[in-house]
């Protein structure tokens, strides 16, 4: 059917289904809601809650972020920041002009204290020196975006090649040189958390500079990130979001009918795990890339075009988890914000791969000190990659025991009280997520993210838009972020609005 833009040609208006109730899906639903062209709008969410990878939990007497932690680049160009401000979810400090103007370059701040696995403290001056070196090299990697060719395929290989050259100029004693490399190794592990990858060797060098960092000092929600998506759900008509409704297969390019709409045919039929079917004109798919990778062969019927399927396989999708530890009393200083862990005798220039069960904790970068809840003190550890996925297979008791031993070892205090309790994320095990967020892997380019974002069928402007794709992995410059996800949901909603309601002037986000 050729779209002419006349809503009158669609009896009863267009039926639209959004698969996934994360910020991309909710953003798309908010945008379409209330338009006469789309009177039949549903969001199907596989789990019992909205928010997707935004997940705040009440624990330790306060709220902790099991998923998204910060608004990255909270400034006027960030739609998540603007939406949070509009809903009154941010404090004066977060909204201050001063905070919005800070340029971080996307780099994490320096630690307040750095512990070595030997039990000694690492000089913060040495840490700062290595941070300056590491981040200057990270900035250099972004300069290959428009280069005719790259010296090596990955960010990791480039960093190691450059560091190897720097090492030859170091004049300190052997012990100091080894400590410098161990500190650099900790920064590599940190960058794996930032990029959501097992190794920087997996991250493609040429497209790395395409990721765009917005200005602003990263900030958090005092009452939880999920307050934002809860507000978005509340803004939708009642029953728009259907919970615990996992989708099994999206049948498209067909001619489906429904008794409730006699004489009308629909190009798409969304089949749920419980057997229910929803015939619709359009479906916006916002499921995480990890889920798409796992269910690629069964989620679409007919299967996706070969080049789109290949893009899904090629784009990277890794795991970054958090481990929260609750303490009766803090062992850290009152002004401490970030505790770094440095593992002696590690080096980014050596590929040491001890068995996961013996050394998974060595990938832990350290701990962010969370604001104290009353008399409760909580550390939030970050760990990425295969070690992070292995951690998910352990029991809470095993994780607690292991990290108690680690903390006693690095602080040099064998009688350090064990944490009272542990809470952690398990994003790789989560069946409808299967990881944390996307990165541009070796063998893929930013063009693959654009390819993933292209609607189906792909046979020209005259074809009706049947399947549309949104989610952080479909945003070429803001992948891996909540603002990238939100913008992608708006993008696909606007695509439908321009098709069926071009005469309706769209309110543009204040960017």
């Amino acid at each position: 059917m050729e779209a002419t833009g006349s809503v009158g040609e669609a009896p009863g208006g267009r039926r639209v289904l959004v698969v996934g109730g994360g910020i991309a899906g909710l953003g798309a639903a908010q945008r379409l809601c209330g338009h006469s062209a789309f009177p039949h709008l549903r969001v199907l969410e596989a789990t019992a809650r909205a928010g997707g990878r935004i997940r705040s939990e009440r624990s330790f007497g306060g709220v902790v972020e099991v998923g998204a932690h910060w608004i990255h680049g909270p400034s006027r160009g960030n739609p998540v920041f603007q939406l949070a401000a509009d809903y009154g979810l941010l404090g004066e400090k977060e909204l201050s002009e001063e905070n919005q103007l800070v340029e971080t370059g996307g780099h994490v701040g320096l630690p307040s204290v750095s512990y070595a696995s030997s039990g000694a403290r690492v000089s913060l001056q040495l840490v700062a020196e290595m941070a300056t070196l590491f981040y200057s090299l990270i900035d250099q990697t972004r300069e290959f975006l428009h280069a005719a060719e790259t010296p090596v395929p990955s960010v990791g290989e480039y960093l190691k090649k450059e560091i190897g050259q720097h090492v030859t100029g170091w004049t300190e004693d052997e012990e100091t040189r080894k400590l410098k490399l161990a500190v650099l190794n900790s920064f590599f592990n940190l960058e794996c958390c930032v990029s959501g990858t097992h190794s920087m060797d997996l991250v493609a060098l040429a497209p790395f500079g395409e990721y765009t960092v917005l200005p602003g000092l990263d900030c958090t929600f005092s009452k939880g990130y999920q307050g934002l998506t809860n507000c978005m759900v509340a803004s939708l008509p009642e029953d728009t979001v259907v919970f615990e409704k996992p989708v099994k297969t999206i049948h498209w390019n067909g001619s489906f009918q429904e008794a409730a709409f006699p004489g009308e045919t629909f190009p798409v039929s969304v089949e749920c795990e419980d057997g229910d079917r929803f015939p619709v004109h359009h479906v916006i798919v916002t499921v995480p890339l990890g889920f798409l990778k796992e269910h690629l062969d069964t989620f679409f019927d007919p299967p996706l075009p070969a080049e789109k399927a290949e893009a899904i396989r090629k784009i990277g999708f890794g795991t970054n988890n958090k481990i929260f530890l609750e303490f009766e009393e803090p062992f850290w200083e009152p002004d401490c914000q970030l505790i770094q862990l440095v593992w002696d005798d590690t080096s980014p220039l050596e590929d040491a791969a001890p068995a996961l069960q013996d050394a998974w904790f060595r990938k832990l970068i350290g701990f962010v000190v969370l604001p104290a809840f009353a008399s409760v003190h909580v550390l939030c550890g970050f760990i990425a990659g295969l070690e992070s996925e292995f951690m998910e297979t352990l029991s809470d008791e095993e994780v607690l025991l292991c990290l108690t031993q680690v903390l006693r070892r690095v602080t040099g205090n064998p009688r350090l009280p064990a944490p009272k309790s542990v809470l952690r994320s398990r994003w790789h095990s989560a069946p409808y997520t299967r990881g944390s967020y996307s990165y541009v892997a070796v063998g893929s380019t930013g063009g693959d993210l654009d390819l993933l974002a292209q609607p189906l069928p792909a046979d020209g402007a005259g074809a009706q838009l049947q399947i549309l794709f949104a989610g952080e992995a479909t945003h070429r410059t803001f992948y891996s972020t909540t603002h990238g996800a939100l913008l992608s949901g708006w993008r696909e909603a606007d695509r439908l609005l321009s098709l069926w309601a071009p005469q309706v002037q769209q309110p543009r986000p204040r960017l």
Side-chain angles (χ1 to χ4, degrees):
M1 166 184 174
E2 186 159 301
T4 63
S6 169
V7 178
E9 291 184 2
R14 316 307 292 173
R15 293 171 67 82
V16 180
L17 197 66
V18 178
V19 180
I23 196 169
L26 296 175
Q30 266 194 326
R31 200 90 155 177
L32 294 174
C33 206
H35 279 288
S36 58
F38 307 102
H40 311 288
L41 175 69
R42 283 286 179 277
V43 179
L44 301 188
E45 167 53 43
T47 71
R49 46 167 286 278
R53 285 164 276 174
I54 293 174
R55 181 177 161 198
S56 309
E57 284 194 12
R58 293 209 69 82
S59 194
F60 313 119
V63 176
V64 295
E65 304 295 6
V66 177
H69 202 104
W70 292 276
I71 301 179
H72 291 297
S75 50
R76 286 187 172 82
N78 187 322
V80 167
F81 175 70
Q82 292 293 350
L83 200 56
D86 290 346
Y87 281 129
L89 301 175
L90 300 175
E92 276 182 42
K93 184 168 182 284
E94 290 79 15
L95 293 168
S96 71
E97 195 75 27
E98 187 184 356
N99 266 32
Q100 294 181 47
L101 296 174
V102 174
E103 292 281 358
T104 65
H107 305 321
V108 178
L110 291 175
S112 311
V113 61
S114 180
Y115 290 114
S117 52
S118 63
R121 288 197 182 196
V122 183
S123 152
L124 290 182
Q125 186 180 342
L126 185 145
V127 172
E129 186 189 331
M130 290 303 96
T132 300
L133 170 60
F134 185 81
Y135 288 129
S136 69
L137 294 178
I138 283 284
D139 291 341
Q140 280 179 34
T141 62
R142 300 188 179 281
E143 294 168 10
F144 289 99
L145 181 57
H146 302 296
E149 55 185 70
T150 57
V152 288
S154 73
V155 171
E157 289 165 281
Y158 178 80
L159 294 173
K160 287 186 283 192
K161 183 171 73 71
E162 293 295 314
I163 287 168
Q165 290 174 5
H166 278 271
V167 170
T168 60
W170 289 350
T171 55
E172 300 92 342
D173 58 84
E174 179 68 13
E175 196 175 323
T176 305
R177 292 205 298 271
K178 286 177 78 169
L179 182 57
K180 281 183 162 186
L181 285 168
V183 171
L184 284 169
N185 200 65
S186 183
F187 281 110
F188 268 79
N189 289 343
L190 173 58
E191 201 63 31
C192 286
C193 290
V194 171
S195 289
T197 184
H198 171 63
S199 165
M200 295 309 291
D201 290 359
L202 302 174
V203 181
L205 178 57
F208 191 61
E210 206 152 28
Y211 176 85
T212 304
V213 176
L214 295 172
L217 193 62
D218 290 0
C219 69
T220 57
F221 291 80
S222 58
K223 296 181 180 175
Y225 218 130
Q226 204 176 308
L228 178 63
T229 47
N230 289 347
C231 285
M232 295 174 78
V233 172
S235 75
L236 299 170
E238 203 175 350
D239 301 328
T240 298
V241 184
V242 184
F243 294 102
E244 297 184 283
K245 203 74 173 170
V247 169
K248 181 182 179 185
T249 306
I250 295 169
H251 304 272
W252 60 291
N253 243 4
S255 185
F256 304 98
Q257 295 183 316
E258 186 180 22
F261 296 88
E264 192 166 0
T265 60
F266 301 87
V268 182
S269 176
V270 177
E271 179 188 359
C272 296
E273 293 281 0
D274 62 7
D276 281 356
R277 283 180 175 252
F278 293 82
V280 293
H281 297 100
H282 312 284
V283 59
I284 303 178
V285 176
T286 73
V287 300
L289 179 63
F291 178 88
L292 278 183
K293 283 177 177 284
E294 186 174 44
H295 298 277
L296 191 53
D297 296 336
T298 57
F299 202 60
F300 300 96
D301 176 32
L304 294 179
E307 61 176 2
K308 189 183 279 280
E310 188 59 21
I312 289 170
R313 290 189 194 98
K314 288 195 298 188
I315 301 167
F317 193 80
T319 303
N320 179 22
N321 275 315
K322 299 178 185 178
I323 307 172
F324 299 92
L325 299 176
E326 177 193 10
F327 291 85
E328 197 89 57
E329 294 293 336
F331 63 82
W332 54 91
E333 298 295 324
D335 58 349
C336 182
Q337 294 183 314
L338 177 61
I339 298 169
Q340 181 185 47
L341 296 185
V342 175
W343 300 97
D344 291 304
D345 299 323
T346 58
S347 165
L349 307 182
E350 294 170 17
D351 290 326
L356 284 176
Q357 61 267 32
D358 300 328
W360 65 269
F361 49 85
R362 286 172 171 260
K363 197 68 167 288
L364 192 72
I365 62 155
F367 299 90
V368 169
V369 180
L370 298 189
F373 311 129
S375 59
V376 180
H377 307 279
V378 181
L379 295 181
C380 174
F382 288 81
I383 183 169
L386 297 177
E387 293 85 355
S388 183
E389 293 168 15
F390 176 78
M391 179 277 296
E392 295 186 28
T393 69
L394 302 174
S395 67
D396 280 356
E397 292 71 25
E398 286 172 309
V399 172
L400 195 61
L401 177 62
C402 179
L403 294 190
T404 299
Q405 292 170 341
V406 165
L407 288 171
R408 286 174 177 169
R409 177 178 168 184
V410 302
T411 58
N413 180 3
R415 289 182 293 280
L416 187 81
K420 281 175 59 181
S421 64
V422 62
L423 171 73
R424 58 209 161 107
S425 61
R426 295 183 183 87
W427 288 109
H428 184 255
S429 309
Y432 302 110
T433 316
R434 306 299 282 150
S436 298
Y437 39 80
S438 62
Y439 61 93
V440 183
V442 171
S444 65
T445 68
D448 289 315
L449 281 77
D450 284 346
L451 188 54
L452 178 55
Q454 287 305 307
L456 293 174
D459 52 1
Q464 182 185 338
L465 302 166
Q466 294 178 25
I467 309 180
L468 302 93
F469 294 83
E472 53 86 14
T474 70
H475 198 292
R476 185 162 181 158
T477 58
F478 291 146
Y479 56 86
S480 81
T481 66
T482 52
H483 52 276
L486 178 58
L487 285 169
S488 74
W490 286 352
R491 179 192 68 215
E492 297 312 309
D494 287 349
R495 204 188 294 269
L496 287 179
L497 286 162
S498 64
L499 182 70
W500 293 113
Q503 69 276 22
V504 179
Q505 188 63 41
Q506 279 308 295
R508 304 305 303 177
R510 296 200 312 263
L511 293 183

PDB file of all heavy atoms in Angstrom, residues 393-412:
ATOM      1  N   THR A 393      27.744 -15.816  37.628  1.00  0.00           N
ATOM      2  CA  THR A 393      27.477 -17.238  37.901  1.00  0.00           C
ATOM      3  C   THR A 393      27.744 -17.603  39.365  1.00  0.00           C
ATOM      4  O   THR A 393      27.395 -18.689  39.808  1.00  0.00           O
ATOM      5  CB  THR A 393      28.347 -18.152  37.010  1.00  0.00           C
ATOM      6  OG1 THR A 393      29.730 -18.033  37.419  1.00  0.00           O
ATOM      7  CG2 THR A 393      28.220 -17.782  35.544  1.00  0.00           C
ATOM      8  N   LEU A 394      28.394 -16.712  40.105  1.00  0.00           N
ATOM      9  CA  LEU A 394      28.719 -16.983  41.508  1.00  0.00           C
ATOM     10  C   LEU A 394      27.550 -16.627  42.418  1.00  0.00           C
ATOM     11  O   LEU A 394      26.677 -15.835  42.060  1.00  0.00           O
ATOM     12  CB  LEU A 394      29.953 -16.165  41.920  1.00  0.00           C
ATOM     13  CG  LEU A 394      31.232 -16.399  41.112  1.00  0.00           C
ATOM     14  CD1 LEU A 394      32.311 -15.404  41.539  1.00  0.00           C
ATOM     15  CD2 LEU A 394      31.723 -17.832  41.280  1.00  0.00           C
ATOM     16  N   SER A 395      27.557 -17.180  43.623  1.00  0.00           N
ATOM     17  CA  SER A 395      26.532 -16.826  44.608  1.00  0.00           C
ATOM     18  C   SER A 395      26.915 -15.513  45.284  1.00  0.00           C
ATOM     19  O   SER A 395      28.077 -15.087  45.244  1.00  0.00           O
ATOM     20  CB  SER A 395      26.423 -17.925  45.672  1.00  0.00           C
ATOM     21  OG  SER A 395      27.621 -17.958  46.448  1.00  0.00           O
ATOM     22  N   ASP A 396      25.939 -14.871  45.929  1.00  0.00           N
ATOM     23  CA  ASP A 396      26.219 -13.647  46.677  1.00  0.00           C
ATOM     24  C   ASP A 396      27.303 -13.899  47.724  1.00  0.00           C
ATOM     25  O   ASP A 396      28.182 -13.063  47.946  1.00  0.00           O
ATOM     26  CB  ASP A 396      24.947 -13.140  47.377  1.00  0.00           C
ATOM     27  CG  ASP A 396      24.024 -12.389  46.433  1.00  0.00           C
ATOM     28  OD1 ASP A 396      24.403 -12.194  45.260  1.00  0.00           O
ATOM     29  OD2 ASP A 396      22.919 -12.006  46.862  1.00  0.00           O
ATOM     30  N   GLU A 397      27.229 -15.066  48.379  1.00  0.00           N
ATOM     31  CA  GLU A 397      28.192 -15.405  49.431  1.00  0.00           C
ATOM     32  C   GLU A 397      29.603 -15.493  48.869  1.00  0.00           C
ATOM     33  O   GLU A 397      30.570 -15.018  49.482  1.00  0.00           O
ATOM     34  CB  GLU A 397      27.808 -16.734  50.097  1.00  0.00           C
ATOM     35  CG  GLU A 397      26.529 -16.699  50.911  1.00  0.00           C
ATOM     36  CD  GLU A 397      25.253 -16.592  50.076  1.00  0.00           C
ATOM     37  OE1 GLU A 397      25.274 -17.010  48.886  1.00  0.00           O
ATOM     38  OE2 GLU A 397      24.243 -16.091  50.596  1.00  0.00           O
ATOM     39  N   GLU A 398      29.739 -16.097  47.689  1.00  0.00           N
ATOM     40  CA  GLU A 398      31.065 -16.225  47.066  1.00  0.00           C
ATOM     41  C   GLU A 398      31.638 -14.859  46.697  1.00  0.00           C
ATOM     42  O   GLU A 398      32.825 -14.589  46.907  1.00  0.00           O
ATOM     43  CB  GLU A 398      30.962 -17.105  45.808  1.00  0.00           C
ATOM     44  CG  GLU A 398      30.784 -18.584  46.121  1.00  0.00           C
ATOM     45  CD  GLU A 398      30.486 -19.400  44.866  1.00  0.00           C
ATOM     46  OE1 GLU A 398      29.563 -19.024  44.110  1.00  0.00           O
ATOM     47  OE2 GLU A 398      31.182 -20.405  44.655  1.00  0.00           O
ATOM     48  N   VAL A 399      30.785 -13.979  46.146  1.00  0.00           N
ATOM     49  CA  VAL A 399      31.233 -12.636  45.769  1.00  0.00           C
ATOM     50  C   VAL A 399      31.628 -11.847  47.014  1.00  0.00           C
ATOM     51  O   VAL A 399      32.677 -11.185  47.055  1.00  0.00           O
ATOM     52  CB  VAL A 399      30.131 -11.890  44.974  1.00  0.00           C
ATOM     53  CG1 VAL A 399      30.509 -10.429  44.750  1.00  0.00           C
ATOM     54  CG2 VAL A 399      29.890 -12.586  43.634  1.00  0.00           C
ATOM     55  N   LEU A 400      30.805 -11.933  48.057  1.00  0.00           N
ATOM     56  CA  LEU A 400      31.072 -11.214  49.305  1.00  0.00           C
ATOM     57  C   LEU A 400      32.379 -11.673  49.939  1.00  0.00           C
ATOM     58  O   LEU A 400      33.212 -10.845  50.354  1.00  0.00           O
ATOM     59  CB  LEU A 400      29.904 -11.426  50.273  1.00  0.00           C
ATOM     60  CG  LEU A 400      29.812 -10.501  51.481  1.00  0.00           C
ATOM     61  CD1 LEU A 400      29.668  -9.058  51.052  1.00  0.00           C
ATOM     62  CD2 LEU A 400      28.634 -10.901  52.355  1.00  0.00           C
ATOM     63  N   LEU A 401      32.582 -12.978  49.991  1.00  0.00           N
ATOM     64  CA  LEU A 401      33.803 -13.530  50.588  1.00  0.00           C
ATOM     65  C   LEU A 401      35.039 -13.100  49.799  1.00  0.00           C
ATOM     66  O   LEU A 401      36.040 -12.657  50.364  1.00  0.00           O
ATOM     67  CB  LEU A 401      33.719 -15.063  50.640  1.00  0.00           C
ATOM     68  CG  LEU A 401      34.953 -15.787  51.182  1.00  0.00           C
ATOM     69  CD1 LEU A 401      35.220 -15.387  52.629  1.00  0.00           C
ATOM     70  CD2 LEU A 401      34.795 -17.301  51.063  1.00  0.00           C
ATOM     71  N   CYS A 402      34.940 -13.205  48.472  1.00  0.00           N
ATOM     72  CA  CYS A 402      36.068 -12.861  47.608  1.00  0.00           C
ATOM     73  C   CYS A 402      36.450 -11.394  47.753  1.00  0.00           C
ATOM     74  O   CYS A 402      37.629 -11.059  47.928  1.00  0.00           O
ATOM     75  CB  CYS A 402      35.730 -13.192  46.157  1.00  0.00           C
ATOM     76  SG  CYS A 402      37.045 -12.768  45.015  1.00  0.00           S
ATOM     77  N   LEU A 403      35.451 -10.504  47.726  1.00  0.00           N
ATOM     78  CA  LEU A 403      35.761  -9.075  47.784  1.00  0.00           C
ATOM     79  C   LEU A 403      36.186  -8.637  49.187  1.00  0.00           C
ATOM     80  O   LEU A 403      36.937  -7.671  49.333  1.00  0.00           O
ATOM     81  CB  LEU A 403      34.573  -8.247  47.279  1.00  0.00           C
ATOM     82  CG  LEU A 403      34.269  -8.436  45.779  1.00  0.00           C
ATOM     83  CD1 LEU A 403      33.255  -7.425  45.295  1.00  0.00           C
ATOM     84  CD2 LEU A 403      35.525  -8.344  44.928  1.00  0.00           C
ATOM     85  N   THR A 404      35.720  -9.351  50.204  1.00  0.00           N
ATOM     86  CA  THR A 404      36.225  -9.083  51.560  1.00  0.00           C
ATOM     87  C   THR A 404      37.724  -9.368  51.610  1.00  0.00           C
ATOM     88  O   THR A 404      38.516  -8.570  52.139  1.00  0.00           O
ATOM     89  CB  THR A 404      35.482  -9.948  52.594  1.00  0.00           C
ATOM     90  OG1 THR A 404      34.091  -9.629  52.566  1.00  0.00           O
ATOM     91  CG2 THR A 404      36.018  -9.704  54.002  1.00  0.00           C
ATOM     92  N   GLN A 405      38.128 -10.496  51.018  1.00  0.00           N
ATOM     93  CA  GLN A 405      39.557 -10.852  50.972  1.00  0.00           C
ATOM     94  C   GLN A 405      40.351  -9.829  50.164  1.00  0.00           C
ATOM     95  O   GLN A 405      41.456  -9.434  50.554  1.00  0.00           O
ATOM     96  CB  GLN A 405      39.717 -12.257  50.372  1.00  0.00           C
ATOM     97  CG  GLN A 405      39.175 -13.362  51.264  1.00  0.00           C
ATOM     98  CD  GLN A 405      39.118 -14.713  50.565  1.00  0.00           C
ATOM     99  OE1 GLN A 405      39.147 -14.789  49.336  1.00  0.00           O
ATOM    100  NE2 GLN A 405      39.030 -15.779  51.342  1.00  0.00           N
ATOM    101  N   VAL A 406      39.783  -9.388  49.034  1.00  0.00           N
ATOM    102  CA  VAL A 406      40.459  -8.390  48.203  1.00  0.00           C
ATOM    103  C   VAL A 406      40.675  -7.096  48.993  1.00  0.00           C
ATOM    104  O   VAL A 406      41.774  -6.535  49.011  1.00  0.00           O
ATOM    105  CB  VAL A 406      39.648  -8.100  46.920  1.00  0.00           C
ATOM    106  CG1 VAL A 406      40.131  -6.827  46.234  1.00  0.00           C
ATOM    107  CG2 VAL A 406      39.734  -9.275  45.951  1.00  0.00           C
ATOM    108  N   LEU A 407      39.622  -6.613  49.676  1.00  0.00           N
ATOM    109  CA  LEU A 407      39.727  -5.351  50.412  1.00  0.00           C
ATOM    110  C   LEU A 407      40.706  -5.462  51.585  1.00  0.00           C
ATOM    111  O   LEU A 407      41.442  -4.520  51.883  1.00  0.00           O
ATOM    112  CB  LEU A 407      38.342  -4.900  50.893  1.00  0.00           C
ATOM    113  CG  LEU A 407      37.423  -4.378  49.777  1.00  0.00           C
ATOM    114  CD1 LEU A 407      36.006  -4.155  50.283  1.00  0.00           C
ATOM    115  CD2 LEU A 407      37.965  -3.091  49.172  1.00  0.00           C
ATOM    116  N   ARG A 408      40.712  -6.599  52.256  1.00  0.00           N
ATOM    117  CA  ARG A 408      41.677  -6.792  53.344  1.00  0.00           C
ATOM    118  C   ARG A 408      43.101  -6.791  52.803  1.00  0.00           C
ATOM    119  O   ARG A 408      44.012  -6.247  53.428  1.00  0.00           O
ATOM    120  CB  ARG A 408      41.370  -8.104  54.082  1.00  0.00           C
ATOM    121  CG  ARG A 408      40.135  -8.002  54.965  1.00  0.00           C
ATOM    122  CD  ARG A 408      39.743  -9.336  55.568  1.00  0.00           C
ATOM    123  NE  ARG A 408      38.596  -9.153  56.464  1.00  0.00           N
ATOM    124  CZ  ARG A 408      37.889 -10.148  56.984  1.00  0.00           C
ATOM    125  NH1 ARG A 408      38.220 -11.408  56.719  1.00  0.00           N
ATOM    126  NH2 ARG A 408      36.864  -9.893  57.784  1.00  0.00           N
ATOM    127  N   ARG A 409      43.253  -7.373  51.634  1.00  0.00           N
ATOM    128  CA  ARG A 409      44.585  -7.453  51.029  1.00  0.00           C
ATOM    129  C   ARG A 409      45.084  -6.076  50.602  1.00  0.00           C
ATOM    130  O   ARG A 409      46.201  -5.673  50.915  1.00  0.00           O
ATOM    131  CB  ARG A 409      44.519  -8.416  49.834  1.00  0.00           C
ATOM    132  CG  ARG A 409      45.822  -8.558  49.048  1.00  0.00           C
ATOM    133  CD  ARG A 409      45.602  -9.564  47.939  1.00  0.00           C
ATOM    134  NE  ARG A 409      46.693  -9.542  46.972  1.00  0.00           N
ATOM    135  CZ  ARG A 409      46.697 -10.278  45.856  1.00  0.00           C
ATOM    136  NH1 ARG A 409      45.683 -11.077  45.588  1.00  0.00           N
ATOM    137  NH2 ARG A 409      47.713 -10.210  45.011  1.00  0.00           N
ATOM    138  N   VAL A 410      44.247  -5.319  49.888  1.00  0.00           N
ATOM    139  CA  VAL A 410      44.722  -4.044  49.331  1.00  0.00           C
ATOM    140  C   VAL A 410      44.884  -2.965  50.393  1.00  0.00           C
ATOM    141  O   VAL A 410      45.730  -2.080  50.256  1.00  0.00           O
ATOM    142  CB  VAL A 410      43.818  -3.532  48.173  1.00  0.00           C
ATOM    143  CG1 VAL A 410      43.739  -4.546  47.052  1.00  0.00           C
ATOM    144  CG2 VAL A 410      42.425  -3.151  48.663  1.00  0.00           C
ATOM    145  N   THR A 411      44.059  -3.027  51.448  1.00  0.00           N
ATOM    146  CA  THR A 411      44.179  -2.020  52.508  1.00  0.00           C
ATOM    147  C   THR A 411      45.274  -2.398  53.501  1.00  0.00           C
ATOM    148  O   THR A 411      45.669  -1.568  54.338  1.00  0.00           O
ATOM    149  CB  THR A 411      42.855  -1.854  53.281  1.00  0.00           C
ATOM    150  OG1 THR A 411      42.485  -3.121  53.844  1.00  0.00           O
ATOM    151  CG2 THR A 411      41.744  -1.330  52.387  1.00  0.00           C
ATOM    152  N   GLY A 412      45.746  -3.642  53.425  1.00  0.00           N
ATOM    153  CA  GLY A 412      46.759  -4.093  54.381  1.00  0.00           C
ATOM    154  C   GLY A 412      46.192  -4.314  55.769  1.00  0.00           C
ATOM    155  O   GLY A 412      46.938  -4.399  56.751  1.00  0.00           O
TER     156      GLY A 412
END
